[in-house]
Amino acid sequence: MEYMAESTDRSPGHILCCECGVPISPNPANICVACLRSKVDISQGIPKQVSISFCKQCQRYFQPPGTWIQCALESRELLALCLKKIKAPLSKVRLVDAGFVWTEPHSKRLKVKLTIQKEVMNGAILQQVFVVDYVVQSQMCGDCHRVEAKDFWKAVIQVRQKTLHKKTFYYLEQLILKYGMHQNTLRIKEIHDGLDFYYSSKQHAQKMVEFLQCTVPCRYKASQRLISQDIHSNTYNYKSTFSVEIVPICKDNVVCLSPKLAQSLGNMNQICVCIRVTSAIHLIDPNTLQVADIDGSTFWSHPFNSLCHPKQLEEFIVMECSIVRDIKRAAGAGMISKKHTLGEVWVQKTSEMNTDKQYFCRTHLGHLLNPGDLVLGFDLANCNLNDEHVNKMNSDRVPDVVLIKKSYDRTKRQRRRNWKLKELARERENMDTDDERQYQDFLEDLEEDEAIRKNVNIYRDSAIPVESDTDDEGAPRISLAEMLEDLHISQDATGEEGASMLT
């Protein structure tokens, strides 16, 4: 019995290592761990230094066979990408743990610490920890290469508007900047009657066309040209072209609607003024203040043109102005504008002040005009109107003068303008000297129309001191609350120049 007690209290037996003779616990190989590691290297075949490609322009890593992915440093996505680079050798062992070893961000080195296990001699399982060094090599991806080439493109959007004023294009430019729709463009080229947008893929161009259809009334046609083909792999290389045509109507244009369209809009008069062009054409009847919105499909079904050229605007002086309180509305009349006031005015051309010739008209600017004010308008009585709808109208229904907007001192407005806009970086050719005047007209429209201003990012110009919202002439101005602080980005987090498409 005493012998039995001694045997149960005895500790587990030890054996001697067959290589070095050190006492060890029994194992299937009968070798100590140190000797086993000296004889067997389970990490053999796994490369200790691997190269990985990185594009500095777009901050993406290359994932074979042909994908570029965005990964943050020491992220799970980057760890998975690193392990895929040694996927074949790792399949022969069991991966227990993997993690990054910290390195300097600018060292172009990534170190991954791996813990692996493998069955070795006589069923013994050996575990080993080692570090794989990844060398980050710079390589430009295909997309960035096409951007740098500037001549390689797969799709182009040709945006055109058959007008002599670029107000719609200036508005469209601000929308593109606000929603970042210019980021995928290879280049933007400005020509006489529109813009060309070049893209490296057809999908980006289609996205831009959908954006244009949502922001301005337009229509488009698509075509493609075969560049090359491979009959063995059944692959084709096309260049696509999208021709986008914006309606040929701008803000402050006087238009003449067809009788059928005018009747469908609530029996409004055929002679109307365009007060705004956004996703639709916004018209107002200066005789009744009746307003109507015409979308792109309605316009192309019942097209109409501008009656007068913007350079035909003449300056009038208000001799007498009275507000019309009671507006007689016909049966089936449409919506009346609440932002305008109907007025009856007598005006005289500033170029005819030595005569006594005056003109009488109704206007939607009754809330702005006072005797002695200057106002811009079109003289239809002495104008040669070549329009099919006007020619069929009764001459009594065509007004002598259509007033467009109140006139202010442009020089003073420019000097007191304490805000600015950003512009698209684009190639220009055949610049017209009239472009600066048109751009100033667009800036004045922003000051006068709050509805357009909501869709535009306006930045405060710190070089000009802040003054009151209205000047001594009563010219409208943009309040400080509507402005954004201009953010200047010289370098991004990678040390590259940021905001390359903005000027």
Side-chain angles (χ1 to χ4, degrees):
M1 294 295 292
E2 292 179 358
Y3 177 77
M4 291 290 293
E6 290 178 1
S7 63
T8 55
D9 294 340
R10 188 177 299 170
S11 59
H14 288 76
I15 63 173
L16 300 179
C17 174
C18 64
E19 294 288 337
C20 62
V22 176
I24 60 172
S25 299
N27 60 62
N30 295 328
I31 304 177
C32 67
V33 176
C35 294
L36 188 61
R37 285 180 176 171
S38 64
K39 294 176 67 69
V40 179
D41 183 12
I42 62 174
S43 66
Q44 187 176 6
I46 301 177
K48 303 302 187 294
Q49 189 172 27
V50 184
S51 62
I52 187 170
S53 299
F54 176 71
C55 179
K56 294 191 298 182
Q57 272 75 13
C58 60
Q59 304 293 303
R60 293 188 298 175
Y61 292 89
F62 179 64
Q63 179 178 352
T67 309
W68 292 83
I69 60 175
Q70 195 97 21
C71 301
L73 286 176
E74 299 190 7
S75 63
R76 296 179 61 183
E77 294 80 7
L78 185 56
L79 181 61
L81 176 63
C82 293
L83 294 178
K84 286 180 181 179
K85 297 286 288 185
I86 54 175
K87 181 179 181 181
L90 279 179
S91 62
K92 299 177 182 179
V93 297
R94 178 174 176 236
L95 181 63
V96 178
D97 188 24
F100 283 103
V101 179
W102 186 85
T103 56
E104 290 285 348
H106 60 273
S107 63
K108 294 190 176 182
R109 293 291 188 275
L110 299 174
K111 292 187 177 182
V112 179
K113 184 179 180 181
L114 301 179
T115 303
I116 60 174
Q117 291 180 351
K118 186 178 182 181
E119 184 177 338
V120 291
M121 303 167 61
N122 300 326
I125 297 177
L126 183 64
Q127 179 171 305
Q128 187 174 343
V129 179
F130 64 99
V131 175
V132 179
D133 192 8
Y134 290 85
V135 180
V136 180
Q137 296 180 345
S138 298
Q139 178 183 344
M140 188 177 291
C141 67
D143 295 337
C144 294
H145 189 76
R146 296 185 187 102
V147 172
E148 292 298 323
K150 295 184 179 179
D151 290 328
F152 183 87
W153 54 273
K154 287 289 186 67
V156 59
I157 301 177
Q158 300 172 342
V159 185
R160 301 291 183 267
Q161 187 183 29
K162 298 177 181 178
T163 58
L164 297 173
H165 205 292
K166 298 181 179 181
K167 285 184 180 180
T168 308
F169 276 109
Y170 291 134
Y171 173 69
L172 182 60
E173 176 187 22
Q174 296 304 316
L175 290 179
I176 292 173
L177 285 171
K178 181 175 183 178
Y179 296 105
M181 298 302 296
H182 62 287
Q183 295 178 351
N184 295 323
T185 56
L186 297 179
R187 63 180 177 132
I188 303 173
K189 185 177 181 181
E190 179 180 351
I191 61 174
H192 176 65
D193 56 350
L195 294 170
D196 289 344
F197 298 87
Y198 293 88
Y199 293 89
S200 60
S201 68
K202 185 178 179 181
Q203 289 75 17
H204 290 155
Q206 289 174 331
K207 185 178 179 181
M208 182 65 170
V209 171
E210 294 174 359
F211 174 78
L212 293 175
Q213 288 182 299
C214 296
T215 52
V216 290
C218 61
R219 62 180 178 180
Y220 79 96
K221 292 181 180 179
S223 63
Q224 58 184 10
R225 180 164 59 96
L226 180 64
I227 303 301
S228 61
Q229 63 175 331
D230 187 352
I231 59 175
H232 301 290
S233 59
N234 199 27
T235 58
Y236 299 87
N237 182 20
Y238 289 100
K239 280 193 174 183
S240 303
T241 301
F242 296 88
S243 178
V244 180
E245 183 181 359
I246 303 176
V247 294
I249 304 298
C250 285
K251 185 180 183 299
D252 297 337
N253 284 165
V254 177
V255 300
C256 182
L257 308 179
S258 64
K260 184 177 180 181
L261 179 59
Q263 184 179 8
S264 66
L265 296 176
N267 291 325
M268 65 189 305
N269 290 324
Q270 291 180 248
I271 303 294
C272 298
V273 178
C274 177
I275 56 175
R276 192 182 304 115
V277 177
T278 55
S279 57
I281 305 172
H282 302 267
L283 301 178
I284 187 170
D285 182 0
N287 285 316
T288 62
L289 296 186
Q290 187 172 336
V291 292
D293 296 342
I294 300 177
D295 56 11
S297 60
T298 304
F299 175 85
W300 300 118
S301 301
H302 306 278
F304 50 87
N305 296 313
S306 174
L307 296 182
C308 299
H309 189 281
K311 293 184 178 180
Q312 292 177 291
L313 273 175
E314 297 190 56
E315 190 176 57
F316 296 85
I317 184 170
V318 178
M319 309 303 293
E320 183 180 344
C321 179
S322 59
I323 303 299
V324 179
R325 302 295 178 185
D326 299 327
I327 304 176
K328 295 182 180 180
R329 304 188 63 186
M335 187 184 302
I336 298 296
S337 174
K338 302 297 183 181
K339 295 183 179 181
H340 299 85
T341 303
L342 186 62
E344 293 181 342
V345 296
W346 285 90
V347 295
Q348 186 175 8
K349 289 184 182 180
T350 55
S351 59
E352 298 178 352
M353 294 299 292
N354 55 347
T355 65
D356 57 354
K357 188 175 184 180
Q358 296 185 4
Y359 302 89
F360 173 80
C361 65
R362 277 193 167 191
T363 178
H364 59 289
L365 305 176
H367 59 297
L368 296 176
L369 300 183
N370 295 298
D373 288 344
L374 297 178
V375 61
L376 298 177
F378 292 107
D379 180 10
L380 301 186
N382 302 314
C383 182
N384 184 14
L385 299 177
N386 187 15
D387 186 85
E388 57 176 341
H389 301 312
V390 176
N391 295 336
K392 297 177 182 178
M393 288 180 61
N394 188 346
S395 59
D396 296 337
R397 299 187 62 84
V398 179
D400 293 338
V401 172
V402 177
L403 301 182
I404 302 299
K405 61 181 179 179
K406 188 176 179 180
S407 178
Y408 301 97
D409 186 357
R410 169 166 288 187
T411 304
K412 187 177 294 184
R413 292 184 73 171
Q414 292 181 9
R415 187 172 63 251
R416 297 192 176 187
R417 185 171 293 140
N418 59 342
W419 55 273
K420 58 185 177 180
L421 301 176
K422 291 188 175 180
E423 298 181 12
L424 284 173
R426 56 188 183 270
E427 301 176 11
R428 302 172 185 262
E429 61 177 23
N430 299 327
M431 287 297 295
D432 192 356
T433 55
D434 196 42
D435 288 351
E436 179 61 28
R437 184 187 61 82
Q438 295 182 12
Y439 187 68
Q440 292 299 325
D441 288 343
F442 172 70
L443 297 182
E444 292 176 2
D445 291 341
L446 287 179
E447 293 175 335
E448 297 168 5
D449 195 341
E450 184 180 358
I452 298 180
R453 216 157 54 221
K454 292 179 181 178
N455 301 326
V456 176
N457 284 342
I458 298 173
Y459 298 91
R460 178 183 171 185
D461 191 354
S462 57
I464 300 177
V466 180
E467 298 181 9
S468 59
D469 291 346
T470 57
D471 57 18
D472 51 356
E473 287 188 345
R477 302 184 64 191
I478 299 178
S479 64
L480 191 62
E482 298 179 78
M483 301 180 193
L484 301 173
E485 288 293 338
D486 191 9
L487 181 62
H488 295 279
I489 303 177
S490 58
Q491 288 188 340
D492 56 16
T494 61
E496 300 293 331
E497 292 185 359
S500 59
M501 293 297 293
L502 297 181
T503 57

